């Protein structure tokens, strides 16, 4: 009987040792913040988030950020009154739960804003994620995207104008989260340099600085249409304090 009990005990221990470990649900919150500004998400500025196993390349989760851009005061003060947490309850995030058996080195790849192709950029971050240890504290897994949204409202691409006319150049510039640039707000026009580079028929480029129109909240300039041909315009936005840049293009014909 004693030998039988020992045998049964050894068999049970062997079965337990070879039983696969149970997966543990592990929550991950990924938030994306515009450099020097607010969070990206919601209907207007969503960001695609992809989580992959950094060692195998396996895709673990994919989706887009959803929620608001967050509380401006809380973000711009670095969350000093909330323990350093810049995100609030409704701040945009991509939330997922992974069933993890063992520690996994995971890469988060974020691309956006999806609604502004000319401003879309990508950033990646890699970290270990442990089974049952949620990555949700504070701002969660926080990733920064640099850049500006530069959007040319006028002239529309490839319109025709007559030689001798002056073509108005009207350009919207915002932070990557869509946050407006103004004279007195957190993101100031005086800190923003906007310049157009104009080439005619592939010739030497001309540089034209744009000025801020506070009434319309856009940057403007006048482009003389002197000679016939194709005028190509590259508009560049730059905020030196945050190393943020953005670019947009258009063109028009003169006859």
């Amino acid at each position: 009987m004693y030998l039988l009990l020992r045998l049964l005990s050894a068999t049970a221990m062997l079965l337990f040792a070879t039983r696969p470990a149970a997966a543990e649900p592990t929550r991950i919150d990924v938030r994306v913040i515009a450099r020097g500004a607010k969070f990206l998400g919601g209907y207007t500025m969503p960001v695609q988030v992809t989580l992959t196993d950094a060692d195998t390349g396996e895709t673990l989760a994919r989706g887009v950020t959803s929620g608001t851009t967050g509380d401006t005061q809380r973000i711009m003060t670095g969350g000093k009154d909330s323990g350093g947490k810049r995100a609030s309850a409704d701040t945009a995030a991509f939330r997922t739960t992974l069933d993890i058996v063992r520690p996994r080195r995971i890469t988060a790849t974020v691309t956006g804003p999806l609604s502004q192709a000319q401003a879309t950029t990508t950033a990646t971050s890699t970290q270990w994620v442990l089974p049952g240890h949620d990555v949700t504290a504070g701002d969660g897994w926080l990733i920064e995207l640099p850049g500006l949204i530069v959007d040319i409202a006028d002239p529309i691409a490839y319109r025709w104008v007559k030689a001798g006319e002056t073509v108005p150049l009207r350009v919207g510039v915002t932070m990557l989260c869509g946050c407006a640039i103004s004279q007195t707000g957190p993101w100031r026009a005086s800190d923003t340099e906007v310049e157009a580079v104009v080439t005619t028929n592939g010739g030497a480029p001309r540089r034209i600085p744009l000025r801020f129109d506070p009434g319309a909240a856009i940057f403007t300039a006048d482009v003389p249409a002197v000679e016939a041909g194709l005028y190509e315009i590259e508009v560049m936005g730059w905020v030196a304090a945050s190393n943020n840049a953005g670019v947009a293009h258009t063109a028009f014909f003169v006859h």
Side-chain angles (χ1 to χ4, degrees), residues 23-151:
E24 296 187 57
T26 306
R27 294 184 298 134
I28 298 177
D29 292 349
V30 179
R31 289 189 175 87
V32 182
I33 194 166
R35 179 186 291 168
K38 302 174 69 175
F39 292 91
L40 282 77
Y43 176 74
T44 55
M45 299 297 163
V47 173
Q48 180 173 286
V49 180
T50 304
L51 301 181
T52 57
D53 186 298
D55 298 310
T56 67
E58 177 190 358
T59 298
L60 305 175
R62 178 182 286 122
V64 296
T65 55
S66 177
T68 72
T69 57
D71 182 277
T72 303
Q73 182 67 16
R74 186 169 179 168
I75 293 169
M76 300 310 290
T77 59
K80 69 175 184 179
D81 296 326
S82 54
K85 183 178 178 180
R86 287 179 281 180
S88 45
D90 59 353
T91 297
F94 167 67
R95 295 180 172 88
T96 190
T97 300
L98 303 180
D99 291 327
I100 298 178
V101 176
R102 55 179 176 77
R104 301 188 78 163
R105 187 164 49 186
I106 293 177
T107 295
T109 302
V110 300
T111 299
L114 299 178
S115 58
Q116 294 292 326
Q118 80 280 16
T120 298
T121 188
T122 298
T124 62
S125 175
T126 300
Q127 70 173 55
W128 282 104
V129 177
L130 309 180
H133 292 266
D134 297 333
V135 185
T136 57
D139 294 325
W141 193 338
L142 184 63
I143 302 176
E144 179 186 85
L145 280 181
L148 299 171
I149 296 173
V150 178
D151 187 30

Side-chain angles (χ1 to χ4, degrees), residues 198-206 224 226-232 254:
V198 182
T199 58
T200 305
N201 298 321
R206 290 177 292 152
V226 179
E227 60 181 295
L230 174 65
Y231 285 62
E232 297 175 277
V254 176

Side-chain angles (χ1 to χ4, degrees), residues 227-245:
E227 60 181 295
L230 174 65
Y231 285 62
E232 297 175 277
I233 302 176
E234 180 178 68
V235 178
M236 302 174 291
W238 170 249
V239 178
S242 56
N243 295 314
N244 275 321

Side-chain angles (χ1 to χ4, degrees), residues 119-224:
T120 298
T121 188
T122 298
T124 62
S125 175
T126 300
Q127 70 173 55
W128 282 104
V129 177
L130 309 180
H133 292 266
D134 297 333
V135 185
T136 57
D139 294 325
W141 193 338
L142 184 63
I143 302 176
E144 179 186 85
L145 280 181
L148 299 171
I149 296 173
V150 178
D151 187 30
I152 300 175
D154 197 31
I156 60 173
Y158 303 114
R159 67 176 274 196
W160 286 83
V161 301
K162 293 181 179 180
E165 291 186 3
T166 297
V167 178
L169 179 59
R170 295 162 54 85
V171 179
V173 180
T174 70
M175 306 303 290
L176 210 61
C177 52
C179 304
I181 291 173
S182 64
Q183 284 187 309
T184 58
W187 307 283
R188 302 200 172 191
S190 58
D191 298 328
T192 308
E193 177 185 336
V194 183
E195 183 181 51
V197 177
V198 182
T199 58
T200 305
N201 298 321
R206 290 177 292 152
R207 294 182 176 271
I208 302 176
L210 278 69
R211 59 191 177 277
F212 185 68
D213 178 351
I218 60 173
F219 291 83
T220 67
D222 294 323
V223 180

